[in-house]
């Protein structure tokens, strides 16, 4: 018993001793571990630095002599030094009581040089690369810059460019970086093919997209550059086109470009699925807001039962409803269209639902990427500002306005959460493009008062000093004419959406080697958009006209029948020189044309009233109007019909009456097949046409693509019939013939070219009804449109 008791006592003692010793050992281990993780050094030593001061490096790290630090502090110091972008390698170690920081600095770029580049200038390439003079050099950045240079060349159509680099050591850790460039030939587009289209011809679809097949004009137009982003944008253009013409199920199955390295040409293939064409079924407006009556809002929508489905009309209806409801005090109202397809009768019924949307406010608008364009130029295109209710519809409309300015290659608007749950921040990202142009052109016209060859040069800036202002200076002339002009437009006068501007001009003309004119004048104008399709312009015009008999005319031969053979009516006008005209004019324009360069549908109508007599010598009231209606006659064959008409009347008042120079003269825009000033009242002694106080004209035309000719050439043909009358001369100094209303008519063929220099048109017209004294001119050539 005693032995067992002694054993138990000994065991208890051992156990108790162990219980006392183990915690002590753990405590010692904890202290030792803490000492290892929280060290203290007496100094920080920096090595390997050449340009960066050691004290600067010490300031980047948080470890200080005399203060405890841990391994996580060392990791943080390494990351901080790497984060400066100054070092290619960083090592931090503790050696006794010293913390050793060893760094390897990046080399410094002295110069970035580009060699053998001709198609892209140095400044354009310098903007594309990341390496900059006085910046740090790294191989990874250099490799990325090589790809950036190649991408810049691809954007101008040179996919086979090769870029090699050379790093020249200059000593003192400095280098020159040289990009050696072999630009190669232009990469062309051999064909743009469409697969799956039946409603519209491939020629028609090729007109819609921006990617064009290479042609002999591509060196000027530069529209045959293949770009993936451009092709994605073309997909959207196709979708909008089909959606706006009834094909609500349209899809772009694929759009790819394949490069043939042997020929350095792309073949672009766009596969589409058109689907069926739909018309609108029942259209109604429903409102979940008790105070808003949906039935009363149906008058503002632009979609109607039986019309061909049109996505743009749906968008316009949403905007109209949103503005109408917001104007009634419901700023957060949300309009949502709900479409119900009927696959059997191919109709889409649309219900516009108006709900009280989530209340959110715009905290601020951030604009990025506008290095040149001023912030306020972008902000003024928004119908909302900081503090206003957030409305997605109005934001999207502002985006379209910014795109229509033609100042930017790309516009993106996104939102991020604001400082409060009910606030958002609008972020506007823009990519600017060149807005300045210098052009020199030559032309030839067979009609008007500037017939013959001509040349013109102009300098244009659409975004003057980044203020959104337009300025143009031009000079030109031909064999018998000289023209000089300066135009300036401020699109937001006094902070409102009113365009204000002025034009200053000087022009000289020589008429039949008998007499000359010299006109100097100016116009101050104000333009106001009333709706998206209606605008008006008010202008004040003042000019001085000087007329002189040509030096080759002997004063004794000025009488009618003499060698100069000038009508008495013209001589009377010359004798009144100089003549000052001071007038105000008011114009109204209605425009729903789908594409001003290649119209297929829509109406363009304009009317102007001019009143002269606010001082000066001229006293008259002149009213003119013209309208054109375009309609696609055949989608498959891209056949477009055009019906146009115009009229004008001028009435003098006061004792002086009208001069011959104040009356209307016939032009090819009035009727083709006749010379400029070739119809209407005539002086029987000299044969000079004196113009008239009243005219009416009408024209019918069918336009079509030319067979065989590639659509990228921009050539189209036309057949037309014109009719017009000009009568009612108020010139009293001579007896006149053909003063009564007499109809003229002609038929003909036309050739239109959407050239890089503007729309060029050639017409051959044969008069089928004319008067004996009319001057015929069957062939007309000039730069003009039919609007």
């Amino acid at each position: 018993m005693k032995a067992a008791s002694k054993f138990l006592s000994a065991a208890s003692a051992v156990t108790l001793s162990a219980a006392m010793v183990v915690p002590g050992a753990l405590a010692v281990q904890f202290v030792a571990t803490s000492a290892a993780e929280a060290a203290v050094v007496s100094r920080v030593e920096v090595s390997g630095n050449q340009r960066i001061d050691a004290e600067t490096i010490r300031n980047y790290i948080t470890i200080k002599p005399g203060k405890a630090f841990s391994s996580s502090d060392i990791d943080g110091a390494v990351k901080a030094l790497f984060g400066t972008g100054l070092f290619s390698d960083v090592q931090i170690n503790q050696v006794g009581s010293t913390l050793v920081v060893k760094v390897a600095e990046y080399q410094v770029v002295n110069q970035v040089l580009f060699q053998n580049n001709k198609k892209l200038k140095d400044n354009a390439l310098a903007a594309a690369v990341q390496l900059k003079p006085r910046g740090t050099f790294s191989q990874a950045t250099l490799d990325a810059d090589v790809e950036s240079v190649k991408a810049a060349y691809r954007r101008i159509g040179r996919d086979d460019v090769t870029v090699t680099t050379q790093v020249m050591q200059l000593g003192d850790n400095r280098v020159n970086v040289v990009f050696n460039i072999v630009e190669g030939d232009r990469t062309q587009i051999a064909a743009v093919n469409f697969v799956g289209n039946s409603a519209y011809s491939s020629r028609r679809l090729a007109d819609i997209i921006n990617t064009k097949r290479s042609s002999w004009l591509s060196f000027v137009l530069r529209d045959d550059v293949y770009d993936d982003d451009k092709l994605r944008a073309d997909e959207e253009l196709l979708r909008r086109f089909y959606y706006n013409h009834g094909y609500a199920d349209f899809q772009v199955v694929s759009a790819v470009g394949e490069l043939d390295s042997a020929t350095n040409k792309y073949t672009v293939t766009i596969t589409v699925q058109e689907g069926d064409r739909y018309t609108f079924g029942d259209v109604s407006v429903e409102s979940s807001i008790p105070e808003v009556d949906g039935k009363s809002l149906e008058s503002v929508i632009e979609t109607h039962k039986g019309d061909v489905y049109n996505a743009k009309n749906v968008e316009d209806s949403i905007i109209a409803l949103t503005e109408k409801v917001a104007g009634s005090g419901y700023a957060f109202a949300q309009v949502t269209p709900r479409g119900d397809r009927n696959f059997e009768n191919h109709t889409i019924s649309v219900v516009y639902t108006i709900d009280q949307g989530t209340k959110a406010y715009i905290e601020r608008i951030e604009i990025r990427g506008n290095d040149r364009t001023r912030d306020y130029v972008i902000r003024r295109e928004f119908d909302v500002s900081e503090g206003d209710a957030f409305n997605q519809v109005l934001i999207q409309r502002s985006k379209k306005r910014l795109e229509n300015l033609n100042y930017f290659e790309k516009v993106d608007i996104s939102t991020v959460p604001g400082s409060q749950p009910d606030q958002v921040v609008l972020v506007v990202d823009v990519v600017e493009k060149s807005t300045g142009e210098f052009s020199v052109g030559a032309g030839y016209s067979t009609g008007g008062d500037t017939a013959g060859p001509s040349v013109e040069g102009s300098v244009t800036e659409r975004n003057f000093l980044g203020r959104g202002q337009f300025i143009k200076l031009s000079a030109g002339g031909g064999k018998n004419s000289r023209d000089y002009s300066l135009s300036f437009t401020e699109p937001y006068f006094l902070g409102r959406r009113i365009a204000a501007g002025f034009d200053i001009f000087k022009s000289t003309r020589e008429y039949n080697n008998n007499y000359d004119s010299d006109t100097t004048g100016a116009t101050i104008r104000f333009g106001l958009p009333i709706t998206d399709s209606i605008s008006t312009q008010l202008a004040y015009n003042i000019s001085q006209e000087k007329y002189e008999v040509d030096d080759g005319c002997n004063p004794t031969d000025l009488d009618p029948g003499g060698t100069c053979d000038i009508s008495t009516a013209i001589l009377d006008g010359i004798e009144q020189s100089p003549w000052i005209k001071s007038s105000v004019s008011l114009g109204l324009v209605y425009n729903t044309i789908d594409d001003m360069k290649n119209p297929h549908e829509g109406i363009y109508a304009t009317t102007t009233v001019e009143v002269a007599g606010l001082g000066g010598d001229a006293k008259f009231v002149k009213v003119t109007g013209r309208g054109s209606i375009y309609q696609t006659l055949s989608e498959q064959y891209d056949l477009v019909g055009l019906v146009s008409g115009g009229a004008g009347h001028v009435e003098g008042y006061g004792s002086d009456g009208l001069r011959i120079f104040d009356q209307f003269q016939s032009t090819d825009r009035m009727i083709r097949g006749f010379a400029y000033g070739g119809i209407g009242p005539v002086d029987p002694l000299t044969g000079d046409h004196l113009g008239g106080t009243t005219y009416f004209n009408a024209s019918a035309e069918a336009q079509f693509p030319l067979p065989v000719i590639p659509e990228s050439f921009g050539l189209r043909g036309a057949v037309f019939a014109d009719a017009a009358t000009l009568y009612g001369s108020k010139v009293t100094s001579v007896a006149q013939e053909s003063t009564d209303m007499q109809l003229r008519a002609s038929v003909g063929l036309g050739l239109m070219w959407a050239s890089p220099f503007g729309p060029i048109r050639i017409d051959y017209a044969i008069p089928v009804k004319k008067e004996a004294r009319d001057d015929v001119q069957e062939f007309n050539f000039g730069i003009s449109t039919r609007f």
Side-chain angles (χ1 to χ4, degrees):
M1 272 308 279
K2 288 184 177 180
S5 177
K6 291 180 178 179
F7 176 77
L8 290 173
S9 298
S12 298
V14 171
T15 302
L16 180 60
S17 299
M20 296 291 291
V21 171
V22 170
L26 291 174
V28 172
Q29 180 65 31
F30 173 75
V31 171
T33 303
S34 298
E37 292 183 354
V40 177
V41 295
S42 60
R43 58 193 294 263
V44 177
E45 181 180 296
V46 178
S47 64
N49 56 310
Q50 299 181 33
R51 294 179 296 104
I52 312 300
D53 184 70
E55 190 60 31
T56 300
I57 296 175
R58 292 188 185 100
N59 290 334
Y60 276 118
I61 64 178
T62 59
I63 302 173
K64 305 298 179 185
K67 293 185 178 181
F69 65 92
S70 64
S71 59
S72 62
D73 293 323
I74 294 178
D75 292 339
V78 172
K79 292 177 180 178
L81 290 175
F82 271 122
T84 65
L86 300 173
F87 309 105
S88 60
D89 190 25
V90 177
Q91 297 179 15
I92 299 179
N93 297 293
Q94 182 181 354
V95 180
S97 62
T98 300
L99 186 72
V100 179
V101 181
K102 185 176 182 180
V103 298
E105 296 179 353
Y106 277 122
Q107 294 175 306
V108 176
V109 178
N110 180 59
Q111 285 182 297
V112 178
L113 306 173
F114 302 95
Q115 294 185 348
N116 304 318
N117 54 306
K118 297 179 180 178
K119 301 302 180 182
L120 286 177
K121 302 301 182 183
D122 286 0
N123 56 352
L125 293 174
V129 299
Q130 299 178 58
L131 292 175
K132 307 291 182 184
R134 296 182 298 277
T136 58
F137 170 82
S138 73
Q139 186 62 44
T141 304
L142 179 61
D143 294 340
D145 284 348
V146 169
E147 296 305 315
S148 297
V149 171
K150 290 181 178 180
Y153 272 95
R154 282 195 295 269
R155 285 193 290 271
I156 64 169
R158 293 184 177 269
D159 287 50
D160 62 342
V161 63
T162 58
V163 181
T164 58
T165 59
Q166 182 181 3
V167 180
M168 303 174 63
Q169 301 292 335
L170 302 178
D172 296 329
N173 212 30
R174 297 181 303 120
V175 296
N176 280 349
V177 178
V178 181
F179 291 87
N180 297 301
I181 300 170
V182 179
E183 295 179 320
D185 296 325
R186 287 191 72 239
T187 305
Q188 298 181 325
I189 297 179
V192 179
N193 301 320
F194 294 89
V195 178
N197 55 306
S198 59
Y200 296 94
S201 67
S202 295
R203 294 180 65 102
R204 179 71 181 106
L205 298 182
D207 284 340
I208 296 166
I209 64 175
N210 291 320
T211 301
K212 304 294 184 182
R213 173 186 173 186
S214 298
S215 68
W216 62 279
L217 281 174
S218 296
F219 78 98
V220 176
L221 299 175
R222 300 295 183 183
D223 56 359
D224 65 335
V225 176
Y226 177 81
D227 183 84
D228 285 332
D229 292 337
K230 186 178 179 181
L231 194 57
R232 299 291 83 78
D234 286 339
E235 291 182 32
E236 182 60 26
L237 290 175
L238 287 171
R239 276 190 286 268
R240 293 193 65 85
F241 173 77
Y242 272 94
Y243 292 164
N244 290 340
H245 288 80
Y247 294 88
D249 296 328
F250 173 81
Q251 293 182 2
V252 177
V253 178
S254 64
V256 295
E258 297 181 354
L259 178 64
D260 185 343
S261 57
T263 61
N264 196 29
K265 292 183 180 181
Y266 275 99
T267 298
V268 177
T269 303
I270 302 175
T271 303
V272 301
Q273 183 176 321
E274 293 178 326
D276 296 321
R277 195 181 197 196
Y278 291 83
T279 58
F280 282 111
D282 294 328
V283 179
S284 59
V285 180
E286 295 180 354
S287 174
S288 63
I289 304 174
E291 295 81 5
V292 176
D293 179 23
K295 193 71 175 177
S296 65
L297 295 174
E298 292 182 357
S299 60
V300 305
I301 62 179
E302 299 185 20
T303 53
H304 306 286
K305 184 176 181 179
D307 291 349
V308 174
Y309 176 80
N310 187 307
K312 183 179 183 301
N313 288 346
V314 175
E315 294 174 3
D316 292 344
S317 298
I318 294 172
I319 293 174
L321 287 169
T322 300
E323 291 180 336
K324 186 73 173 179
V325 175
S328 301
Y330 299 92
F332 300 100
Q334 182 175 351
V335 180
T336 305
R338 185 176 71 249
D340 182 16
R341 281 180 173 82
N342 187 316
F343 295 100
E344 294 182 0
N345 58 17
H346 300 126
T347 61
I348 299 178
S349 298
V350 181
V351 177
Y352 296 95
T353 303
I354 303 174
D355 299 311
Q356 184 63 271
T358 303
K359 290 187 177 181
Y361 298 89
I362 298 173
E363 181 175 340
R364 67 180 184 276
I365 300 176
E366 291 185 4
I367 302 173
R368 304 185 302 201
N370 56 319
D371 297 328
R372 183 167 180 271
T373 304
R374 312 213 177 181
D375 274 13
Y376 71 83
V377 174
I378 297 175
R379 289 179 182 274
R380 68 192 184 189
E381 298 300 329
F382 285 82
D383 291 326
V384 294
S385 58
E386 282 89 346
D388 288 349
F390 175 79
N391 190 302
Q392 186 65 42
V393 172
L394 299 183
I395 301 301
Q396 289 303 312
R397 186 169 69 172
S398 300
K399 179 176 183 291
K400 290 181 180 180
R401 285 178 179 162
L402 289 173
E403 292 171 339
N404 292 336
L405 290 176
N406 201 23
Y407 300 163
F408 311 108
E409 291 183 0
K410 187 177 181 181
V411 178
D412 285 325
I413 301 179
S414 57
T415 60
V416 296
S419 58
Q420 300 295 327
D422 63 344
Q423 293 183 333
V424 297
V425 177
L426 284 184
V427 180
V428 184
D429 290 298
V430 298
V431 178
E432 295 181 312
K433 66 180 179 181
S434 175
T435 56
E437 297 175 358
F438 172 75
S439 63
V440 177
Y444 185 89
S445 176
T446 58
D449 56 1
T450 59
S454 62
V455 63
E456 181 186 30
S458 66
V459 178
T460 304
E461 174 56 62
R462 301 191 308 274
N463 188 13
F464 184 60
L465 299 179
R467 300 174 181 269
Q469 298 164 334
F470 174 91
I471 187 169
K472 179 177 181 180
L473 177 65
S474 64
K479 179 181 178 182
N480 300 314
S481 64
R482 301 289 186 275
D483 292 285
Y484 309 93
S485 67
L486 171 65
S487 296
F488 175 84
T489 302
E490 165 56 63
Y492 275 76
F493 184 60
L494 299 178
R496 298 182 179 274
R497 197 165 285 140
I498 300 174
F502 65 83
D503 306 296
I504 302 173
F505 62 90
K506 180 179 178 62
S507 62
T508 61
R509 299 287 185 269
E510 297 179 7
Y511 299 93
N512 301 323
N513 297 319
N514 289 335
Y515 66 98
D516 307 331
S517 70
D518 187 332
T519 304
T520 304
T523 297
I524 300 175
R525 46 187 164 72
F526 299 91
L528 175 66
I530 300 174
T531 68
D532 289 340
S533 56
I534 302 175
S535 61
T536 184
Q537 180 169 293
L538 176 67
Y540 171 73
N541 318 283
I542 186 168
S543 62
Q544 182 188 65
E545 303 172 21
K546 295 181 179 179
Y547 293 89
E548 292 183 354
V549 176
D550 191 80
D551 293 339
C553 285
N554 190 312
T556 60
D557 295 332
L558 292 179
D559 293 331
T563 56
C564 288
D565 204 23
I566 302 177
S567 171
T568 302
I570 297 176
L571 290 175
D572 287 345
I574 294 175
E575 289 176 359
Q576 297 178 63
S577 174
W579 185 266
I580 296 177
K581 183 181 75 172
S582 174
S583 69
V584 292
S585 58
L586 177 63
L588 190 67
V589 176
Y590 177 75
N591 183 8
T592 61
I593 298 295
D594 58 345
D595 184 349
M596 294 297 288
K597 294 182 179 179
N598 185 20
H600 280 69
E601 293 179 355
I603 299 174
Y604 186 92
T606 178
T607 182
T608 302
V609 178
E610 181 182 9
V611 179
L614 304 178
D617 303 307
K619 290 180 174 58
F620 61 78
V621 177
K622 183 179 290 186
V623 181
T624 58
R626 181 179 178 85
S628 300
I629 302 175
Y630 286 85
Q631 181 64 51
T632 300
L633 303 178
S634 172
E635 304 283 7
Q636 179 65 32
Y637 298 104
D638 194 13
L639 181 63
V640 178
L642 164 63
V643 177
S644 61
H649 180 74
V650 59
E651 191 70 37
Y653 64 92
S655 58
D656 293 333
L658 289 175
R659 301 176 305 157
I660 183 176
F661 304 121
D662 296 329
Q663 298 193 142
F664 296 110
Q665 295 287 341
S666 65
T667 67
D668 62 335
R669 289 178 59 82
M670 186 182 296
I671 185 169
R672 288 162 283 193
F674 296 85
Y676 172 78
I679 68 172
V682 63
D683 184 337
L685 296 179
T686 63
D688 290 326
H689 286 87
L690 307 177
T693 60
T694 305
Y695 75 87
F696 295 96
N697 72 289
S699 178
E701 181 171 295
Q703 302 175 356
F704 49 86
L706 295 178
V708 181
I709 306 296
E711 70 283 346
S712 56
F713 280 27
L715 289 171
R716 292 177 66 84
V719 293
F720 59 83
D722 293 348
T725 182
L726 175 66
Y727 63 96
S729 174
K730 291 295 182 69
V731 175
T732 59
S733 56
V734 295
Q736 302 174 53
E737 296 179 354
S738 302
T739 58
D740 296 332
M741 183 176 181
Q742 297 169 327
L743 187 67
R744 279 84 168 177
S746 64
V747 295
L749 303 172
L751 180 65
M752 299 169 291
W753 179 31
S755 79
F757 320 104
I760 294 177
R761 179 158 184 145
I762 302 173
D763 289 315
Y764 180 78
I766 301 175
V768 294
K769 183 174 177 54
K770 64 185 184 68
E771 299 299 318
R773 288 280 194 168
D774 292 342
D775 294 332
V776 173
Q777 182 175 291
E778 297 176 342
F779 179 77
N780 284 293
F781 176 88
I783 299 178
S784 67
T785 62
R786 300 304 296 176
F787 293 118

